[in-house]
Amino acid sequence: MSVHVVETSDPAATEALGAQLAADLHDGDIVLVRGELGTGKTTLVRGAARALGVRDPVTSPSFSIGHRYRARGTYVSHLDLYRLGPLAHEEAELLSDYLGPGSIAFVEWPRESEPEFAGARLLVSLAHRGADRRRIKVERG
Ligand code: ADP
Ligand code: MG
């Protein structure tokens, strides 16, 4: 387990960190992205998705639990579980459309209890540090 903490002072730096993290990701990997609203979770995922070859605009999923983007040799899944409470059985099954072989998945607001997320490759935690500063902790399991 390794822990790495950085501070960014603009969205571009957070995107760049996402891109840097993407370089170590492989097929089937899951990245959990935690932090309060507006800390830059989606911004970080956008940087990672770009680096993985996603060309479509990366936006917050709002009408479904996630988006799936074609990337270079894989799909990038971007889930946001904010609006979900503890996952009901059917919702947990929906997750399997986004996870596993053929995808690299980023999950905002993951639920602690989801067994699907137990083997996550990275846990990224973002926090506000005033104005445009963000503290970003990256834990590698
Ligand atoms: P979340 O997904 O955590 O709710 P978003 O990435 O959607 O957050 O939004 C973050 C907002 O904060 C954006 O408007 C972005 O431009 C702004 N912002 C300002 N400074 C930073 C920073 N250092 N890193 C990331 N986003 C930042
Ligand atoms: Mg978001």
Side-chain angles (χ1 to χ4, degrees):
M1 162 87 131
S2 78
V3 181
H4 188 66
V5 178
V6 298
E7 280 207 11
T8 65
S9 44
D10 57 40
T14 298
E15 281 195 24
L17 176 64
Q20 201 181 314
L21 297 178
D24 284 331
L25 296 175
H26 300 98
D27 187 41
D29 281 350
I30 297 175
V31 178
L32 305 182
V33 189
R34 296 214 170 106
E36 295 303 312
L37 285 175
T39 47
K41 298 180 297 299
T42 297
T43 301
L44 182 128
V45 172
R46 182 175 299 124
R50 283 269 164 281
L52 290 166
V54 173
R55 286 153 179 261
D56 292 334
V58 175
T59 55
S60 284
S62 37
F63 299 106
S64 64
I65 63 168
H67 287 151
R68 222 162 129 66
Y69 301 101
R70 186 184 294 280
R72 225 181 292 110
T74 186
Y75 280 86
V76 166
S77 295
H78 178 199
L79 290 142
D80 184 336
L81 307 183
Y82 182 63
R83 281 164 304 276
L84 293 185
L87 298 188
H89 183 63
E90 328 69 85
E91 291 168 330
E93 281 186 348
L94 276 181
L95 290 179
S96 62
D97 296 340
Y98 294 90
L99 308 176
S103 304
I104 293 175
F106 297 86
V107 187
E108 298 186 38
W109 301 98
R111 294 293 173 271
E112 318 289 331
S113 54
E114 274 322 297
E116 281 86 351
F117 303 149
R121 182 111 193 125
L122 294 178
L123 170 59
V124 182
S125 309
L126 298 92
H128 288 288
R129 276 294 177 273
D132 287 351
R133 300 195 68 81
R134 305 288 190 272
R135 178 182 184 273
I136 306 177
K137 180 167 75 171
V138 179
E139 296 171 83
R140 231 169 276 267

